[in-house]
Amino acid sequence: MYRATIANSRYAFGDLKDLLAKATPLRSGDALAGLAAESREQQVAAQFALADLPLATFLNEAVVAYESDEVTRLIIDTHDKAAFAVVRHLTVGGLRDYLLSDEATTEILASLAPGLTPEMAAAVVKISRLQDLMVMAAKCSVVTRFRNTLGLPGRLSARLQPNHPTDDARGIAASILDGLLLGSGDAVIGINPATDSPERCATLLSMLAEIIGKLEIPTQSCVLAHVTTTLDLIGKGSAVDLVFQSIAGTQAANKSFGIDLALLRQAREAALSLRRGPVGDNVMYFETGQGSALSANAHHGVDQQTLEARAYAVARAFKPLLVNSVVGFIGPEYLYDGKQITRAGLEDHCCGKLMGVPMGVDVCYTNHAEADQDDADALLALLVASGVNFVMGVPGADDIMLGYQSTSFHDALAMRDLFGRKPAPEFEAWLERQGLLDSANRIRPRDLPGTFRALLPP
Amino acid sequence: MIEVWNSLRRLTAARIGLKRTGASLATGPLLDFQLAHARARDAVHAPLDAARLAADVDGFGLLVLEVASAVVDQQHYLMRPDLGRRLAPEAEAMLTPYAGRYDAAFVISGGLSARAVQTHAAPVLAAVLPALRADGCTIAPLVIVARGRVAIGDRVAAALHADGVAMLIGERPGLTAPDSMGAYLTWQPSAQTTDAERNCISNIRPDGIGYADAGFKIVHILRAMRTRRLSGVQLKDDSDQLLIGKD
């Protein structure tokens, strides 16, 4: 039982997960789950109580039972006590103050990351304003490598997302051409296939390998099929750079995705065995999003932001190249409007970075959410200011296969110009060799480079 | 460059080669986008005309039943997916008299784009039903559910005692495709069924996965489900290989 007294009102919270849920700024998914605070004052009372909570509590009280959940076991069993030592005497409020202090430098935050459990990171985020989330995240640096180097200071990368509703190879190639010309694709060229058909995924993988090979692009490819499909394709000799999988923060939610930790381990080992990354061995690409566990009825009465942080504990166990929260994809029943999506996007990025995860964010919204381009613009700019590793690059921000709005090649370009961010260094050098940079080193394509003609249909 | 983009645009509906000013979009493509978003927003709130849909499937040799989920209006539908997965209190009683031993049941709901199922459900059923009947499949009455979510098909299948269920539902409207239909196929669904136990064919519409291909895939998966007595991630959709073989 956790308590707080505000003036003459006394508030009690049944257990740790109740305290965490009630302290969470309002969002529709927690209301849907029946977990949200019943009044504004109750929410702030919970934040006061949470701020006074010793961090060690999180090592003794699990929000999802250790015995029945392998994600909890992963969190507890791999907790780095030596890394935690520097903050073990602190409360949640004390940790927030420490993370914002000048003492907490980039190097110190990197060494602290394995000592932070997802619940600790989630708790700090709940008592933080957007500005705090930005300041803390901007101090974190998570660098990963495969065929190039992602997440370096002063860099902003983009996943080129050239989806096509029927996986038509020529239609996909046309979108890839457009994206490359505008400087997208250094994070990955990643296709969401329209179906999980192994034949089709194999065709797309060989097409991507051919494009990357012919144009000698220092980047990696990914077809975002189910991990079991990708495993089969590795077995059959497909050119798999990265293994993709959607993941969540509870064992039951992962089961609803058809995965468990053993399967992810097996997939990572299979991808490593191909030795396709000349610069590094980060071979996994994960996607997450608040609300996925509730959507699978696998949330165990835990609020969606805490569960999202637990998904990052799953991610970091597999040393991923890329992790992104597809923050506005899930819809208004979990994040109702632009305000809720904005906060969730910054929470996810900050939590992931504090935990040492190479976070990107798919700044996005669906047509049934109360959001529009202005909301997306605001969140994108806040994330770039926060040092987000990568964002999406979708032609005209309109994903014609998944039916939602993400960020465009132009958006990524405008943010690079506005904030002075550059693509991954290897990719930037490649753009220069293709003659796509102007005299001020901005990406400004004029003509189609000769080598790009390989992408044109016959 | 202009000629290059003109020819590439024939290959995809994606917004490629947009006119640029500096790093930003030119005014023309900016306003095109705003118009498409406005139309998609309008599509989300358009209602399903169940009577017209029932008339469109008249002649397919199936009894048509109309029931509702536990949701009261479209705003409620958007905010409460849990109620959209549940049948209205009176719906179960309406379905029970039609319970039998069926191999497959088809359930239709407007979802997030009533226009999608209004337009595409009947032509897809016309492609699917003869093939299933030729296999000797028994097919349950067709059920149209007002404001249902995917999992409400499980409740319908259970009430009718159908082994396999195919849920035809309007997908989230995209800017380019406000009328895309999804088909979710599940073997022996129950209240414990998870999404990993479903097979999905997404983006069914003439400019996406066309009626004949969608019908072929649905029949193929339903057959495989019956043979292997399971559905979902363990049952890969290898119908592309067969589609290629068919040409």
Short mmCIF file of all heavy atoms in Angstrom, two decimals, chain B residues 2-42:
data_model
loop_
_atom_site.label_atom_id
_atom_site.label_comp_id
_atom_site.label_asym_id
_atom_site.label_seq_id
_atom_site.Cartn_x
_atom_site.Cartn_y
_atom_site.Cartn_z
N ILE B 2 11.23 15.44 -64.85
CA ILE B 2 9.77 15.43 -64.91
C ILE B 2 9.25 14.19 -65.64
O ILE B 2 8.33 13.52 -65.17
CB ILE B 2 9.24 16.73 -65.56
CG1 ILE B 2 9.51 17.91 -64.62
CG2 ILE B 2 7.73 16.63 -65.83
CD1 ILE B 2 9.32 19.27 -65.25
N GLU B 3 9.91 13.85 -66.76
CA GLU B 3 9.47 12.67 -67.52
C GLU B 3 9.69 11.41 -66.70
O GLU B 3 8.87 10.49 -66.72
CB GLU B 3 10.23 12.53 -68.85
CG GLU B 3 10.29 13.77 -69.73
CD GLU B 3 11.38 14.73 -69.29
OE1 GLU B 3 12.56 14.39 -69.50
OE2 GLU B 3 11.07 15.80 -68.72
N VAL B 4 10.83 11.37 -65.99
CA VAL B 4 11.11 10.19 -65.16
C VAL B 4 9.99 9.99 -64.15
O VAL B 4 9.43 8.90 -64.02
CB VAL B 4 12.47 10.36 -64.43
CG1 VAL B 4 12.66 9.27 -63.38
CG2 VAL B 4 13.61 10.34 -65.43
N TRP B 5 9.60 11.06 -63.45
CA TRP B 5 8.55 10.92 -62.42
C TRP B 5 7.21 10.58 -63.05
O TRP B 5 6.44 9.78 -62.49
CB TRP B 5 8.43 12.19 -61.56
CG TRP B 5 9.62 12.36 -60.66
CD1 TRP B 5 10.49 13.39 -60.63
CD2 TRP B 5 10.09 11.41 -59.68
NE1 TRP B 5 11.48 13.18 -59.69
CE2 TRP B 5 11.25 11.97 -59.09
CE3 TRP B 5 9.65 10.16 -59.25
CZ2 TRP B 5 11.98 11.32 -58.10
CZ3 TRP B 5 10.37 9.51 -58.26
CH2 TRP B 5 11.52 10.09 -57.69
N ASN B 6 6.92 11.16 -64.18
CA ASN B 6 5.65 10.83 -64.83
C ASN B 6 5.56 9.34 -65.13
O ASN B 6 4.49 8.74 -64.97
CB ASN B 6 5.47 11.66 -66.10
CG ASN B 6 5.09 13.09 -65.77
OD1 ASN B 6 4.64 13.37 -64.66
ND2 ASN B 6 5.29 14.00 -66.71
N SER B 7 6.66 8.73 -65.55
CA SER B 7 6.58 7.30 -65.85
C SER B 7 6.60 6.47 -64.56
O SER B 7 5.92 5.45 -64.46
CB SER B 7 7.69 6.89 -66.83
OG SER B 7 8.89 6.73 -66.13
N LEU B 8 7.34 6.92 -63.55
CA LEU B 8 7.39 6.15 -62.29
C LEU B 8 6.05 6.19 -61.55
O LEU B 8 5.68 5.23 -60.89
CB LEU B 8 8.49 6.69 -61.37
CG LEU B 8 9.92 6.41 -61.83
CD1 LEU B 8 10.91 7.05 -60.87
CD2 LEU B 8 10.18 4.91 -61.92
N ARG B 9 5.33 7.30 -61.69
CA ARG B 9 4.05 7.41 -60.98
C ARG B 9 3.02 6.41 -61.47
O ARG B 9 2.05 6.12 -60.78
CB ARG B 9 3.50 8.84 -61.09
CG ARG B 9 3.95 9.70 -59.93
CD ARG B 9 3.21 11.01 -59.87
NE ARG B 9 4.16 12.02 -59.41
CZ ARG B 9 4.78 12.88 -60.18
NH1 ARG B 9 4.52 12.91 -61.48
NH2 ARG B 9 5.65 13.72 -59.68
N ARG B 10 3.23 5.86 -62.66
CA ARG B 10 2.32 4.82 -63.14
C ARG B 10 2.50 3.51 -62.37
O ARG B 10 1.65 2.63 -62.43
CB ARG B 10 2.54 4.59 -64.64
CG ARG B 10 1.91 5.68 -65.50
CD ARG B 10 1.79 5.24 -66.96
NE ARG B 10 3.08 5.28 -67.65
CZ ARG B 10 3.59 6.39 -68.22
NH1 ARG B 10 2.91 7.51 -68.21
NH2 ARG B 10 4.76 6.34 -68.82
N LEU B 11 3.62 3.37 -61.66
CA LEU B 11 3.94 2.12 -60.98
C LEU B 11 3.45 2.06 -59.54
O LEU B 11 3.41 1.01 -58.93
CB LEU B 11 5.46 1.90 -60.97
CG LEU B 11 6.14 1.92 -62.33
CD1 LEU B 11 7.65 1.86 -62.16
CD2 LEU B 11 5.65 0.75 -63.18
N THR B 12 3.10 3.21 -58.98
CA THR B 12 2.69 3.23 -57.57
C THR B 12 1.81 4.44 -57.31
O THR B 12 1.98 5.50 -57.94
CB THR B 12 3.93 3.27 -56.63
OG1 THR B 12 3.47 3.35 -55.27
CG2 THR B 12 4.85 4.43 -56.93
N ALA B 13 0.88 4.27 -56.37
CA ALA B 13 0.05 5.40 -55.95
C ALA B 13 0.75 6.23 -54.88
O ALA B 13 0.22 7.23 -54.42
CB ALA B 13 -1.28 4.88 -55.41
N ALA B 14 1.95 5.79 -54.47
CA ALA B 14 2.70 6.54 -53.45
C ALA B 14 2.99 7.96 -53.95
O ALA B 14 3.10 8.19 -55.16
CB ALA B 14 4.01 5.82 -53.12
N ARG B 15 3.11 8.89 -53.00
CA ARG B 15 3.32 10.29 -53.36
C ARG B 15 4.81 10.53 -53.64
O ARG B 15 5.53 11.08 -52.82
CB ARG B 15 2.83 11.20 -52.22
CG ARG B 15 1.33 11.15 -52.08
CD ARG B 15 0.83 11.74 -50.77
NE ARG B 15 -0.53 11.28 -50.56
CZ ARG B 15 -1.62 11.97 -50.92
NH1 ARG B 15 -1.52 13.16 -51.43
NH2 ARG B 15 -2.82 11.44 -50.73
N ILE B 16 5.26 10.10 -54.82
CA ILE B 16 6.67 10.23 -55.16
C ILE B 16 6.89 11.42 -56.09
O ILE B 16 5.98 11.88 -56.77
CB ILE B 16 7.22 8.95 -55.82
CG1 ILE B 16 6.37 8.55 -57.03
CG2 ILE B 16 7.29 7.81 -54.82
CD1 ILE B 16 6.97 7.43 -57.85
N GLY B 17 8.14 11.91 -56.09
CA GLY B 17 8.52 12.99 -56.99
C GLY B 17 7.75 14.27 -56.75
O GLY B 17 7.46 15.03 -57.67
N LEU B 18 7.39 14.53 -55.50
CA LEU B 18 6.59 15.73 -55.19
C LEU B 18 7.41 16.99 -55.40
O LEU B 18 8.61 17.02 -55.12
CB LEU B 18 6.10 15.67 -53.73
CG LEU B 18 5.21 14.49 -53.36
CD1 LEU B 18 4.82 14.57 -51.89
CD2 LEU B 18 3.96 14.44 -54.24
N LYS B 19 6.73 18.01 -55.87
CA LYS B 19 7.42 19.28 -56.11
C LYS B 19 7.90 19.84 -54.77
O LYS B 19 7.19 19.83 -53.78
CB LYS B 19 6.48 20.26 -56.80
CG LYS B 19 7.22 21.39 -57.46
CD LYS B 19 6.30 22.24 -58.33
CE LYS B 19 7.07 23.48 -58.76
NZ LYS B 19 6.22 24.67 -58.82
N ARG B 20 9.13 20.31 -54.79
CA ARG B 20 9.81 20.71 -53.56
C ARG B 20 10.21 22.17 -53.66
O ARG B 20 10.47 22.68 -54.75
CB ARG B 20 11.06 19.83 -53.44
CG ARG B 20 11.90 19.97 -52.21
CD ARG B 20 12.94 18.84 -52.17
NE ARG B 20 13.70 18.73 -53.41
CZ ARG B 20 14.74 19.49 -53.73
NH1 ARG B 20 15.15 20.42 -52.90
NH2 ARG B 20 15.39 19.31 -54.87
N THR B 21 10.26 22.85 -52.50
CA THR B 21 10.85 24.18 -52.46
C THR B 21 11.78 24.21 -51.26
O THR B 21 11.33 24.01 -50.13
CB THR B 21 9.77 25.29 -52.40
OG1 THR B 21 10.42 26.54 -52.18
CG2 THR B 21 8.73 25.05 -51.32
N GLY B 22 13.09 24.34 -51.50
CA GLY B 22 14.05 24.14 -50.42
C GLY B 22 13.95 22.69 -49.97
O GLY B 22 13.99 21.78 -50.79
N ALA B 23 13.79 22.49 -48.65
CA ALA B 23 13.59 21.13 -48.14
C ALA B 23 12.11 20.80 -48.01
O ALA B 23 11.74 19.69 -47.65
CB ALA B 23 14.27 20.99 -46.79
N SER B 24 11.26 21.77 -48.29
CA SER B 24 9.84 21.62 -47.96
C SER B 24 8.98 21.32 -49.19
O SER B 24 9.41 21.49 -50.33
CB SER B 24 9.34 22.92 -47.31
OG SER B 24 10.12 23.23 -46.18
N LEU B 25 7.75 20.90 -48.94
CA LEU B 25 6.80 20.63 -50.01
C LEU B 25 6.32 21.93 -50.64
O LEU B 25 6.07 22.91 -49.94
CB LEU B 25 5.56 19.93 -49.44
CG LEU B 25 5.57 18.43 -49.25
CD1 LEU B 25 4.15 17.98 -48.87
CD2 LEU B 25 6.02 17.72 -50.51
N ALA B 26 6.13 21.90 -51.95
CA ALA B 26 5.52 23.04 -52.62
C ALA B 26 4.02 23.09 -52.27
O ALA B 26 3.44 22.11 -51.80
CB ALA B 26 5.72 22.92 -54.12
N THR B 27 3.40 24.23 -52.52
CA THR B 27 2.01 24.45 -52.11
C THR B 27 1.05 23.42 -52.70
O THR B 27 0.16 22.91 -52.00
CB THR B 27 1.56 25.87 -52.53
OG1 THR B 27 2.49 26.80 -51.97
CG2 THR B 27 0.16 26.18 -52.03
N GLY B 28 1.22 23.08 -53.98
CA GLY B 28 0.30 22.14 -54.63
C GLY B 28 0.20 20.81 -53.90
O GLY B 28 -0.89 20.43 -53.43
N PRO B 29 1.31 20.06 -53.76
CA PRO B 29 1.25 18.77 -53.06
C PRO B 29 0.84 18.91 -51.59
O PRO B 29 0.22 18.00 -51.04
CB PRO B 29 2.66 18.21 -53.18
CG PRO B 29 3.52 19.31 -53.69
CD PRO B 29 2.63 20.28 -54.39
N LEU B 30 1.14 20.05 -50.96
CA LEU B 30 0.70 20.25 -49.57
C LEU B 30 -0.82 20.24 -49.48
O LEU B 30 -1.42 19.54 -48.67
CB LEU B 30 1.25 21.58 -49.04
CG LEU B 30 0.69 21.97 -47.67
CD1 LEU B 30 1.28 21.08 -46.59
CD2 LEU B 30 0.94 23.42 -47.35
N LEU B 31 -1.47 20.98 -50.37
CA LEU B 31 -2.94 21.05 -50.31
C LEU B 31 -3.58 19.75 -50.79
O LEU B 31 -4.64 19.35 -50.29
CB LEU B 31 -3.44 22.26 -51.10
CG LEU B 31 -3.06 23.61 -50.48
CD1 LEU B 31 -3.58 24.78 -51.32
CD2 LEU B 31 -3.56 23.73 -49.04
N ASP B 32 -2.93 19.04 -51.74
CA ASP B 32 -3.45 17.72 -52.15
C ASP B 32 -3.55 16.79 -50.94
O ASP B 32 -4.51 16.05 -50.78
CB ASP B 32 -2.51 17.07 -53.18
CG ASP B 32 -2.56 17.77 -54.53
OD1 ASP B 32 -3.52 18.54 -54.76
OD2 ASP B 32 -1.64 17.54 -55.35
N PHE B 33 -2.51 16.83 -50.13
CA PHE B 33 -2.47 15.99 -48.92
C PHE B 33 -3.60 16.37 -47.96
O PHE B 33 -4.30 15.50 -47.43
CB PHE B 33 -1.11 16.16 -48.25
CG PHE B 33 -0.91 15.32 -47.02
CD1 PHE B 33 -0.20 14.14 -47.08
CD2 PHE B 33 -1.43 15.72 -45.79
CE1 PHE B 33 -0.01 13.35 -45.94
CE2 PHE B 33 -1.26 14.94 -44.65
CZ PHE B 33 -0.54 13.77 -44.73
N GLN B 34 -3.77 17.67 -47.75
CA GLN B 34 -4.80 18.10 -46.81
C GLN B 34 -6.19 17.67 -47.27
O GLN B 34 -7.04 17.28 -46.47
CB GLN B 34 -4.77 19.63 -46.62
CG GLN B 34 -3.44 20.18 -46.09
CD GLN B 34 -3.13 19.77 -44.65
OE1 GLN B 34 -3.56 18.72 -44.19
NE2 GLN B 34 -2.36 20.58 -43.95
N LEU B 35 -6.42 17.69 -48.58
CA LEU B 35 -7.71 17.25 -49.12
C LEU B 35 -7.92 15.76 -48.87
O LEU B 35 -9.00 15.33 -48.43
CB LEU B 35 -7.78 17.54 -50.63
CG LEU B 35 -9.03 17.03 -51.33
CD1 LEU B 35 -10.29 17.71 -50.78
CD2 LEU B 35 -8.94 17.25 -52.85
N ALA B 36 -6.88 14.96 -49.13
CA ALA B 36 -7.00 13.51 -48.92
C ALA B 36 -7.28 13.20 -47.45
O ALA B 36 -8.09 12.34 -47.13
CB ALA B 36 -5.72 12.82 -49.39
N HIS B 37 -6.62 13.93 -46.56
CA HIS B 37 -6.84 13.68 -45.13
C HIS B 37 -8.27 14.06 -44.74
O HIS B 37 -8.94 13.33 -44.00
CB HIS B 37 -5.83 14.48 -44.29
CG HIS B 37 -5.96 14.21 -42.81
ND1 HIS B 37 -6.16 15.20 -41.88
CD2 HIS B 37 -5.94 13.05 -42.12
CE1 HIS B 37 -6.25 14.66 -40.66
NE2 HIS B 37 -6.12 13.36 -40.79
N ALA B 38 -8.75 15.15 -45.28
CA ALA B 38 -10.12 15.57 -44.98
C ALA B 38 -11.11 14.48 -45.43
O ALA B 38 -12.05 14.14 -44.71
CB ALA B 38 -10.42 16.89 -45.68
N ARG B 39 -10.87 13.91 -46.60
CA ARG B 39 -11.78 12.87 -47.11
C ARG B 39 -11.72 11.60 -46.26
O ARG B 39 -12.74 10.96 -46.00
CB ARG B 39 -11.42 12.53 -48.56
CG ARG B 39 -11.85 13.60 -49.52
CD ARG B 39 -11.41 13.27 -50.92
NE ARG B 39 -12.01 14.20 -51.88
CZ ARG B 39 -11.55 14.38 -53.11
NH1 ARG B 39 -10.50 13.71 -53.54
NH2 ARG B 39 -12.15 15.23 -53.90
N ALA B 40 -10.52 11.23 -45.84
CA ALA B 40 -10.38 10.02 -45.01
C ALA B 40 -11.08 10.22 -43.67
O ALA B 40 -11.73 9.31 -43.15
CB ALA B 40 -8.91 9.70 -44.80
N ARG B 41 -10.97 11.42 -43.10
CA ARG B 41 -11.64 11.71 -41.83
C ARG B 41 -13.15 11.55 -42.01
O ARG B 41 -13.83 11.00 -41.15
CB ARG B 41 -11.32 13.14 -41.37
CG ARG B 41 -9.89 13.36 -41.00
CD ARG B 41 -9.53 12.76 -39.67
NE ARG B 41 -10.16 13.43 -38.55
CZ ARG B 41 -10.46 12.84 -37.39
NH1 ARG B 41 -10.21 11.56 -37.23
NH2 ARG B 41 -11.03 13.52 -36.42
N ASP B 42 -13.65 12.04 -43.12
CA ASP B 42 -15.09 11.91 -43.39
C ASP B 42 -15.48 10.44 -43.54
O ASP B 42 -16.54 10.03 -43.07
CB ASP B 42 -15.46 12.70 -44.65
CG ASP B 42 -15.38 14.21 -44.44
OD1 ASP B 42 -15.34 14.64 -43.25
OD2 ASP B 42 -15.36 14.97 -45.43
#
